[in-house]
Amino acid sequence: MKIGQNQLVFINLLIAFLVLGIFCAGKLRLPVWCVVAGFVILLIYDMWGLYQAKESAAYGLCLLFYCLGFIVCSESLLVSKNNISRFVNESVQIQGVVAEAPRITVGTDDSEKIRYIIEVQSVGKNKAPVFADGSIYVYVSQPVTKPVGRIGDVITASGVVKALHGYQNPGIIDTVASAQRQGITARLNLGKSDVKITEANVHPFLRKADELRKTLRVAMEKVMSKEDAAVLFAMLFGGYDGIKPELLDSFTATGIIHILSVSGSHITLLAGTLVWLGGVLRLKSSLMAVFITLVILAYTVLAGCVSPAVRAAIMGILTFAALAFEREADARRILSLVGFLMILLKPQLIYDISFQLSFAATGGLLYLSPFLKGKLDFLPKWLAANLSITLAAQIMVLPFLAWYFNSVSVSSLLANLLVVPILEYVIVLGLTAGLFGLILPVAQNILFALCSLSIGFAYEITNFIARIPGGSIYLPSGGIASGIVYYLCLAGWVQYGKAKEVCQRMDWQHYKQVLCLLSFLGIAVFIWQYSKEQPLSVHFIDVGQGDAILIVSPQGKAAMIDTGGILNSDFDIGSRVDLPYLRHYGVTKLDYLILTHVHVDHAGGAGSILRKIPVDHIITGRENRQEYAQVFKMGLENERGRAMIPAYEGQTIFLDQVKLEIIHAMDAVQGGTGNEVSNVIKVSYGQYSFLITGDLTEAEEKQMIARAADMQSTVLKVGHHGSKTSSSQDFLDAVHPAYGVISVGADNKFGHPDQVVLDRLAQNHIRFWRTDEAGAIVFSSDGKRLDVRTFRGGG
C-alpha cells in the first residue's frame, strides 16, 4: 500500500488490527512487557519508515496498532487494590454515591424493589472506613412510602458483598461482563434492610431529567393504560418495565424491538425520519443538522445520559451533521475516528452489544445506504430514502442478530414500512406532549390519548405481521470467521464497480470466473459443514438453582430433560435462558421434553418452551397433572396439556442411535412429595452413558440398588444440586461414574452443594464440574471418545 493512498481503507485496517489485539489480549497469556517491548521497537521502526517513505512502514503500523490494542486491553482488565470486589464474601458497611437513576419495580403488596448503582467511596469493616473505589449494585426491598435515593445522593448500607453472577451460557448476553464494562464489580443484596440516604445537591441537570421522566410517566398513566404508558415510556427513554410480554414477542418477531431502547439503531431510525421531515419542510442543511442534533441530545439527556445512549448520540450527531452538509467521506472518517477513540479508552467495548449494534447501524447508514438508495431509484424519493436507511441498518447488523438472537425477521421490511412510521410519529407526539405539559396540560392529555390509540393500532398491525407464516427465519450463530466472510462479501457487492475497474486496468479477464468459483467453494464448505454428522452432545445448561439438560443426537434430533425455573419470580427461565440456548445450537424443535418431577426449579421453564417451539412428546413424573398445568401456566384443556404422558419404568426412547431409558419412576400416590418421585433417566451412546437423577433422595437410591437397576454410567448428574440428602456412598459405588455435574445456583440459600458431597466425590476420584462456576457444561462423543468443554473454559 502506497503512503497517502486509500486513507479511509487504511484507517479502518488499523482499527481492525487494534480490535484484533484487544481480542487476543483476552485469549493469549503473553507477558505484557514483551508486547510493550515490541510496541517500542515497532514505533521506532515506523517513525524511521515514514520518514524514509517506505511502504513497509504501513505493515509496521498495523502491527503497532495490534500491540497497542493488546496493551490497553491488558491494562483495562486490571482491578485496583481498593476495588469493592476485593471485599467479596465479607460483611462490610459501604458508603457511596448514586450514579444513575434507580431502577424501581413496584410489587403487588405495596412494596417496591429498588436497584441502585453506587459509586463506592469507602468501606468499613470492624474499624474506621477505608478508601475504596469501583461501583456496586445495591438491591433493596422497601414499602412504597419510604424515600428513594436520587442521582448524587450518598447511600450508606451494611451487608455481605457478593460477586456478580449471571447465567453463564452461550446464546444470551453476558450480564456480568456488561456490568464490569461499566465498572460495576460486585453486588449487595439487602432485602428489607434499611439504607441510609443523605441528600446531596449535585448533578442538578440529571436530577431534573429524572424528575421529568417520572412526571411524564405519571401523566401518561393518567390518560392511558399502564401497558401503553410503559410502551411509550420505553420508546422515549428505553427499558422494558411494565410492557406486556405479548407485545414484546410481536416486536421481536417483526424485528422492531430496537424501537423500545435508545440505541444506535433507534437513533438511526429517528434521524432518518427527521431527515424526511426536514425535506418536507425544505430545511437548509445547516438547520437540519441543528434540528437533528437537538433531538438526539434530548433523547440522550432524557435517557439519563447512560453510556449506551451517550455513545449512540455521539456517533449519530457527528454522522448526520456530516451527511447534512453532504460530506459523506468526512462522515465515514468521523465514524472511524470516534470508534477508534471509544475502543482505545474502553477496549472491552468490542464485546458490548449496544456498541456493536450502534457502530454497525451507523456504518450501514454511511457505507450501504447511499448504494441502496441508488438501487431503489425507481421508488418515490422519500420512500427510497427511508427504505435505504432501514435496510442498510438491518443488513449491517445481521451477523450480530444471528449471534445474539439467531433470527432475522423477513416481516421486518413490512413492519418497518407500516409500523415504524407510526411509532416514530408516536415518539414525536410523546416528546411534544412533554413540552405541552409545561404550558398546556389539556393539550398534553389529548396528545397522550392519541399516543395510546396509535400504540394500540401499531400493536394490532405488528401482531398480524408477526403471525404471517415464514415471517422469521432462523439464523445459525456462526462466529467471527463467518462474520468476516459476510462483511467481505458485502463490501465486494457494494464496491463491485470499483473492483471491476481495477481488474480491467490490470487486464485481468477472468475475474468473473474466479468470483463464481470462490462463491461455489464457499457454498460447498457451508453445506458440508452443516450436513456432516456431528457427535452426540449432552448439555448441562446453567439455569441457576435448577436443572436443565439438552441432548442432541448425531443426526440433529433433540430432547430436553428438565428446564429450570425460579419459584415466586417473574423471571421466565424458559424464554430468557432455555430458548436462546436452544436457538444458539440450532435446536428449533424438541422431539421429547422429559421432566423428572413437577418442582418449579425443574419444570418452570417448560411452559414458554411449549408455547414457542414444537415439542412432539411430553413425558412427566407420575404426579398430579393439574400441578404440571399450573407450573406450565396453561390449562389441561390446552392441546399441550392433554399431551402429557407420565413416565414408567422400562420406558425406552431412541433419538437415532442414542438410547434414553427411564430406569426409575415412582407414583406420587405412594407418598412422594416431589423430590422422592423424580424420574431417573439413563442416556447411552456407544461406550458412554449419562445418568440424570433429578432430585432423587437417598431412600430412593437404596430402592434402585435393592432391585439391581442398571445404573452404571460414565457421567452422573449429581442428585438434588449436591444436597447431602442424595449421592450416598452406596449409590456412587453402584453408578461408578468417572465424571460428575452439579447443577446449582451461585450463593443459593440452601447451601448447595454440601461439603460432605463434594468430599465424597473427591474421595471416589470423580472429576466434577459445577454450573455456578463453569457455566454451561457440554459433553460430546462419537461413541468411542468423550470430550467436555465449559462456558468458562477448561475441560
Side-chain angles (χ1 to χ4, degrees), residues 445-514:
N445 291 341
I446 294 172
L447 291 177
F448 278 151
L450 287 174
C451 287
S452 183
L453 291 172
S454 301
I455 289 170
F457 182 55
Y459 170 62
E460 292 301 326
I461 297 175
T462 307
N463 203 26
F464 173 77
I465 295 173
R467 293 197 302 266
I468 296 175
S472 180
I473 295 177
Y474 171 78
L475 288 177
S477 297
I480 295 175
S482 60
I484 292 173
V485 171
Y486 174 84
Y487 285 118
L488 287 175
C489 292
L490 189 61
W493 177 47
V494 174
Q495 299 295 328
Y496 176 76
K498 290 185 178 179
K500 183 178 178 180
E501 290 177 11
V502 172
C503 291
Q504 289 174 342
R505 256 197 322 268
M506 296 172 62
D507 198 25
W508 191 18
Q509 302 297 325
H510 305 291
Y511 64 91
K512 289 185 179 180
Q513 292 88 332
V514 172

Side-chain angles (χ1 to χ4, degrees), residues 547 561-562 594-599 601-602 620-623 628 647-649 662-668 672-681 692-698 700-701 703-704 707 717 719-721 726:
D547 282 7
I561 302 175
D562 287 343
I594 304 173
L595 300 171
T596 58
H597 59 298
V598 76
H599 283 175
D601 59 330
H602 291 255
T620 68
R622 303 186 68 81
E623 299 156 293
Y628 277 102
Y648 60 87
E649 283 183 15
I662 309 293
I663 64 173
H664 178 79
M666 189 176 81
D667 201 320
T673 60
N675 291 343
E676 292 84 352
V677 298
S678 290
N679 295 326
V680 177
I681 303 100
I692 314 299
T693 60
D695 285 348
L696 196 72
T697 61
E698 185 175 350
E700 281 65 47
E701 292 176 354
Q703 288 184 21
M704 294 178 67
R707 58 184 172 82
K717 199 292 296 182
H720 201 186
H721 322 293
S726 306

